[in-house]
Amino acid sequence: GQNIDQPTEMTATEGAIVQINCTYQTSGFNGLFWYQQHAGEAPTFLSYNVLDGLEEKGRFSSFLSRSKGYSYLLLKELQMKDSASYLCAVRDSNYQLIWGAGTKLIIKP
Amino acid sequence: IAGITQAPTSQILAAGRRMTLRCTQDMRHNAMYWYRQDLGLGLRLIHYSNTAGTTGKGEVPDGYSVSRANTDDFPLTLASAVPSQTSVYFCASSDRGDAGELFFGEGSRLTVL
């Protein structure tokens, strides 16, 4: 079956760096997405990786290793507003998105 | 700025009742999707439409139906609601039918008693 694994919850300190991991086993691979979802709100797009390596976008970076079935989202200079759930999703061979359950990130002052 | 509008925001209904969740987008996106989100689970695709006039079944289509009469609207109907359909429902759209970047509505929280 298809599976996306990410930690359920993580805690970090304001101003610090946090890495949220995502491992996947899917039928084919056509890209990996990260979305941010604040409590009670809609998911919003953060990043997209289809080739191996690091994609940087401001304070957020996303890394992909297709051979390892692994990605991470790196958040730098954490701010209180970064408290949210982070969703990992993989696009499979049928171009359907398979979603992880999300990682709830708690930022402490 | 509109994007995707869902209605109602929240609804409580009795089991066995019929319910339609509305979704409208103003971005002229070809593809639209309905997901449900339950605690501890990833978003699960219910139905999708790659273009007006066509629909397809997702991972969990049973008990739900959709229509896509035009580009902008994509309503989701529960013919006879059951408690297991209690969930938060998100409508989403993308400008490509291959599940590119998705734009989500604010969600509809449905409770079936």
Side-chain angles (χ1 to χ4, degrees), chain B residues 80-102:
Chain B
S80 178
V82 295
S84 62
Q85 292 177 312
T86 293
S87 187
V88 179
Y89 291 86
F90 286 101
C91 181
S93 72
S94 69
D95 63 357
R96 295 168 57 177
D98 60 355
E101 177 186 346
L102 296 181

Side-chain angles (χ1 to χ4, degrees), chain B residues 49-65:
Chain B
S49 169
N50 286 330
T51 189
T54 68
T55 62
K57 294 181 179 180
E59 179 186 357
V60 288
D62 293 344
Y64 306 95
S65 63

